[in-house]
Amino acid sequence: MNNISLIPSSTLCDGITYATSKIGKKRIEMAEEMINKWACHLMDYGELVTESKSGIIVELATGAGFGTCGVTNSGLGAGKLISIDIDYACAANAIGIAKYLKLEEQIDSMVANFWFLPIKNDSIDVVCSHYGLDEAREVNRILVEISRILKVGGKFINVSRNDPTIRIRQTLGHIEFSKEEYMKLASCAGFYCGMDALKKEAEKNDFVLEYHKVYSPGNSHERVISVFKKLKSDRFPGYVPR
Ligand SMILES: C[S@@+](CC[C@H](N)C(=O)[O-])C[C@H]1O[C@@H](n2cnc3c(N)ncnc32)[C@H](O)[C@@H]1O
């Protein structure tokens, strides 16, 4: 027991405890290190997300904040960023980054589930996600929500592993699912099932795939950046988010 450092419950109740400029600095330094080592896609991702330098960007899955750093590195211009995660300590990373960069007026975080985003219909310019869908469940439900909150013409910019089975094989490798077995299970459980499945489901939600690029760095997994554009808005009349 002596070696276990317990986190006081008061700290656990307060995500803001994690949102310090010191933590923001650490996240930014880690992201820079990551770009040098393997994250060759991160700058392109940031540039695509912040292309218009205006409007409201919603980031799904703050996590460790690496995607957030990619976006802020490219410069928000006059744009605003709301970063969402179900885990408040992760969501707080975005506030830490904002504090360090002195961008608190432009960056905020929200603790919410992607399945029911507390955001109005047709109100957001860009939704982005950096390895968010890879680890979420009910990806099809998340696409419905992304489509609902985006304005017509708005973009959804996503980074995911090209091979959807990598992540699960890292944790369940010892069970030795074949790829085919995994894909069946993943589809039933609503996991991310790869680029083709994502495109098909996005099209059901009024998106068209505008652009995609696969990165094969050699020293790490293949990943794909995809840019979807929302074409119309007539599927959610009168829907009021909870
Ligand atoms: C791999 S991490 C994201 C990595 C992060 N974007 C980065 O670049 O450092 C995945 C995150 O998704 C969050 N997440 C998973 N499912 C979620 C859901 N249904 N709603 C909200 N957050 C979710 C997890 O809490 C986790 O922090």
Side-chain angles (χ1 to χ4, degrees):
M1 276 299 275
N2 285 343
N3 293 328
I4 299 172
S5 91
L6 293 172
I7 300 172
S9 57
S10 57
T11 304
L12 285 174
C13 289
D14 184 5
I16 297 304
T17 311
Y18 296 99
T20 63
S21 133
K22 201 171 149 199
I23 283 188
K25 179 172 185 273
K26 190 172 155 208
R27 293 300 177 195
I28 289 167
E29 285 168 358
M30 284 167 79
E32 272 163 18
E33 204 179 301
M34 215 175 90
I35 292 172
N36 292 331
K37 281 193 180 149
W38 62 270
C40 54
H41 63 282
L42 195 59
M43 282 157 84
D44 289 355
Y45 168 70
E47 275 168 25
L48 285 164
V49 171
T50 60
E51 198 173 47
S52 76
K53 303 284 176 225
S54 62
I56 303 180
I57 302 166
V58 163
E59 177 186 44
L60 298 185
T62 324
F66 297 138
T68 320
C69 291
V71 171
T72 53
N73 245 349
S74 299
L76 286 172
K80 299 208 171 194
L81 173 67
I82 304 167
S83 190
I84 301 181
D85 205 289
I86 203 163
D87 178 329
Y88 59 77
C90 289
N93 278 326
I95 302 296
I97 291 166
K99 280 187 179 164
Y100 181 67
L101 298 174
K102 302 202 182 338
L103 287 177
E104 288 137 291
E105 294 294 309
Q106 283 179 272
I107 303 175
D108 213 336
S109 77
M110 190 190 273
V111 176
N113 193 327
F114 306 150
W115 303 346
F116 298 99
L117 293 170
I119 296 175
K120 284 186 190 160
N121 302 354
D122 305 306
S123 60
I124 302 299
D125 300 277
V126 174
V127 174
C128 63
S129 185
H130 185 251
Y131 293 104
L133 297 190
D134 292 44
E135 293 184 24
R137 296 243 346 240
E138 303 302 343
V139 169
N140 295 351
R141 166 71 204 161
I142 299 171
L143 281 172
V144 171
E145 280 296 86
I146 296 171
S147 176
R148 181 183 66 73
I149 66 170
L150 272 175
K151 295 176 183 169
V152 175
K155 306 268 174 88
F156 168 45
I157 299 164
N158 182 59
V159 177
S160 287
R161 291 169 183 84
N162 207 21
D163 175 354
T165 68
I166 291 179
R167 187 77 193 170
I168 204 84
R169 278 192 280 134
Q170 277 168 354
T171 39
L172 294 180
H174 56 288
I175 299 180
E176 290 182 5
F177 288 129
S178 69
K179 263 196 184 185
E180 291 67 31
E181 283 167 332
Y182 167 75
M183 291 307 287
K184 260 192 215 155
L185 291 169
S187 171
C188 292
F191 287 162
Y192 167 71
C193 286
M195 193 51 215
D196 290 345
L198 189 69
K199 178 171 178 276
K200 211 165 150 192
E201 205 55 37
E203 283 167 356
K204 287 189 203 161
N205 286 288
D206 303 332
F207 284 110
V208 64
L209 178 65
E210 267 202 334
Y211 169 85
H212 86 285
K213 181 171 174 183
V214 176
Y215 293 75
S216 311
N219 63 347
S220 176
H221 60 266
E222 275 195 341
R223 76 259 1 211
V224 55
I225 295 186
S226 45
V227 179
F228 295 93
K229 184 175 174 178
K230 177 173 158 179
L231 294 178
K232 56 181 175 139
S233 181
D234 53 11
R235 300 174 60 240
F236 307 99
Y239 177 86
V240 181
R242 295 203 259 173

